[in-house]
Amino acid sequence: MTKKTIEDDLIEIFEKLHKNPELSYKEYETSKTLKGILKEYGIEILNLNLDSGLVAVIRGEHPGPVIAIRSDIDALPIQENTGLPYQSLVSGIMHACGHDFHMTSVLGAARLLNERRNEIHGTIKIIFQPAEEAPGGAQLIIDTGVLEDVKVYFGIHATPSLPVGTVGIGEGAVMAAVDKFSITVKGRGSHAAHPNEGIDPIVVSSAIVMAVQSIVSRNMDPFSQGVVSITHLEAGNTWNVIPEQAYMEGTVRTMKPEDRVLFQNRLKALAINVAEAYGAEAEFNWHPGPPAVINDGELAELSKKVAEKNGYLIREAYRSLGGEDFSLYLQKEKGMFLRIGTGGGYPIHHPKFRVDRKAIMPTAKYLADLAIEYLQANIIA
Ligand code: NI
């Protein structure tokens, strides 16, 4: 019998995690599994008293700064339809965003780093963060205080639009700020046959939906990236009554802090003034989410150098208007969010989403090399 390789082990772990997905803030068994594997590797787990999520630490044999590698661990409320032999065993829950791939690759990196402690000039904290999808999980880990000494963060995301062997490396804003808004339009109900006796909130809402389309085309700098989508619109409950009010909500995705302010102000002004023009009233609510993910330029250069050494093809300036609470770690310190090609043919959050398992071992090695090279380049004299 041939000896099992690290890659064989990791693929086994990946399949186990994939079969047993858990939703945000409920990653109890996942956390137990991760702890068990880390213990087997002989890696120290910090005592944080978290029900889900954990932070492990690898102390190098040489002094140096503290850096972190982060994986998210939660799954999504999606019924899997891949037909894979290791398909989710939990009805209605699926690792459809590749967080199982993140966990496995980061575990692999931790194992390799632990075996290479003699090359490490500093300390590496390994973050297994709950509830990236919820969101809020990053804040939960930050609030433990365990990251106070961390100077640099590395994070990854599975990327089905890139083939295995390709890594997307962008600098500057690579993922968007995620803000949410809602608008309540208050009109006056009436009989459908006598609209003149009421104020129709459905007509007012329609005007608002159309008006906000001009923010991207007429207000935003054409060199900026941003989008506003109204995704939920609700009013009335029958065919012959004009309702009293309407409700809508949606999201704004932007790359620059000033554009967040612009969208918030324009949405509010359009909602309130369009409603007023029709004799109705609008109430506008803005719910800010995580900011944009901003990749550090020097880290992008280092990431490209190490990627090349590892035989990766590099896709420059890879960016998306999706969101990631990885950005919360970067509020205080710099970091790098890498898009790892995982192929598979279906987008993330799709019931047929799948990760090509061949991407796991190279990602583990890449992350380990990246951490070691960063620390070697930043030796404190
Ligand atoms: Ni994700």
Side-chain angles (χ1 to χ4, degrees):
M1 209 179 88
T2 48
K3 206 173 156 276
K4 248 174 60 180
T5 62
I6 294 182
E7 181 166 22
D8 296 334
D9 269 342
L10 290 177
I11 287 174
E12 218 171 90
I13 292 167
F14 172 75
E15 292 179 358
K16 180 178 177 184
L17 291 169
H18 190 84
K19 277 188 211 167
N20 298 285
E22 291 174 298
L23 293 175
S24 302
Y25 292 116
K26 292 185 180 139
E27 308 93 334
Y28 310 123
E29 291 307 314
T30 304
S31 301
K32 271 187 212 156
T33 301
L34 293 169
K35 279 182 187 168
I37 295 165
L38 287 163
K39 268 185 200 147
E40 230 175 83
Y41 293 166
I43 294 172
E44 179 186 345
I45 297 163
L46 297 175
N47 192 3
L48 298 181
N49 268 329
L50 295 174
D51 294 334
S52 63
L54 62 113
V55 179
V57 62
I58 297 158
R59 300 176 201 280
E61 287 182 10
H62 313 279
V66 182
I67 66 171
I69 303 174
R70 175 271 209 169
S71 165
D72 38 17
I73 68 173
D74 52 334
L76 287 157
I78 293 174
Q79 178 62 47
E80 178 162 353
N81 187 23
T82 58
L84 289 166
Y86 54 91
Q87 176 157 324
S88 171
L89 299 175
V90 190
S91 166
I93 304 181
M94 174 191 181
H95 268 298
C97 200
H99 299 187
D100 47 354
F101 164 73
H102 306 163
M103 285 187 269
T104 312
S105 304
V106 170
L107 276 172
R111 177 173 177 176
L112 296 172
L113 285 165
N114 197 46
E115 288 168 2
R116 294 171 68 186
R117 282 198 307 278
N118 59 334
E119 294 173 62
I120 300 175
H121 294 255
T123 299
I124 300 157
K125 289 188 172 168
I126 307 287
I127 304 168
F128 289 103
Q129 176 209 306
E132 188 278 322
E133 307 280 0
Q139 197 58 48
L140 190 109
I141 299 284
I142 292 167
D143 289 345
T144 64
V146 76
L147 305 175
E148 294 283 310
D149 52 0
V150 174
K151 294 289 170 237
V152 165
Y153 292 88
F154 290 100
I156 56 169
H157 209 290
T159 307
S161 58
L162 296 177
V164 176
T166 300
V167 56
I169 301 178
E171 82 170 80
V174 291
M175 294 198 75
V178 179
D179 297 319
K180 193 173 119 184
F181 64 91
S182 64
I183 300 167
T184 303
V185 175
K186 292 172 187 157
R188 194 165 64 236
S190 68
H191 194 292
H194 311 295
N196 53 308
E197 289 170 7
I199 297 168
D200 187 346
I202 294 178
V203 171
V204 178
S205 298
S206 307
I208 292 172
V209 171
M210 296 310 291
V212 304
Q213 307 307 319
S214 66
I215 302 174
V216 171
S217 70
R218 303 292 88 177
N219 301 127
M220 193 180 73
D221 180 340
F223 288 102
S224 280
Q225 298 94 23
V227 68
V228 52
S229 291
I230 292 177
T231 52
H232 178 191
L233 177 56
E234 217 175 291
N237 54 14
T238 189
W239 66 281
N240 58 358
V241 177
I242 291 172
E244 282 279 306
Q245 60 177 48
Y247 174 82
M248 68 187 101
E249 61 181 357
T251 184
V252 168
R253 306 300 174 96
T254 50
M255 291 301 213
K256 295 178 187 161
E258 60 266 34
D259 285 337
R260 291 180 94 173
V261 179
L262 171 82
F263 275 81
Q264 184 185 357
N265 290 342
R266 290 300 299 148
L267 276 165
K268 186 177 179 184
L270 287 166
I272 288 172
N273 292 311
V274 168
E276 202 195 320
Y278 283 85
E281 230 177 85
E283 195 183 288
F284 178 78
N285 284 295
W286 179 258
H287 311 275
V293 176
I294 315 279
N295 278 346
D296 177 77
E298 274 175 42
L299 291 174
E301 283 314 306
L302 178 76
S303 302
K304 282 181 206 167
K305 197 182 101 187
V306 178
E308 262 163 26
K309 274 195 210 165
N310 276 266
Y312 275 105
L313 281 174
I314 294 165
R315 172 76 75 82
E316 304 253 4
Y318 196 90
R319 59 185 67 205
S320 135
L321 286 169
E324 238 300 337
D325 72 359
F326 183 71
S327 60
L328 295 178
Y329 301 108
L330 309 189
Q331 295 290 83
K332 264 175 59 197
E333 304 294 343
K334 60 187 177 173
M336 184 68 209
F337 195 64
L338 298 154
R339 306 298 299 250
I340 308 288
T342 48
Y346 290 90
I348 56 171
H349 295 212
H350 189 284
K352 288 184 192 272
F353 168 80
R354 62 164 79 185
V355 162
D356 188 330
R357 291 166 298 172
K358 286 200 292 291
I360 296 169
M361 189 63 208
T363 306
K365 183 170 175 298
Y366 178 40
L367 284 172
D369 287 355
L370 199 49
I372 286 173
E373 289 225 16
Y374 173 80
L375 291 170
Q376 282 176 352
N378 288 275
I379 291 175
I380 302 166

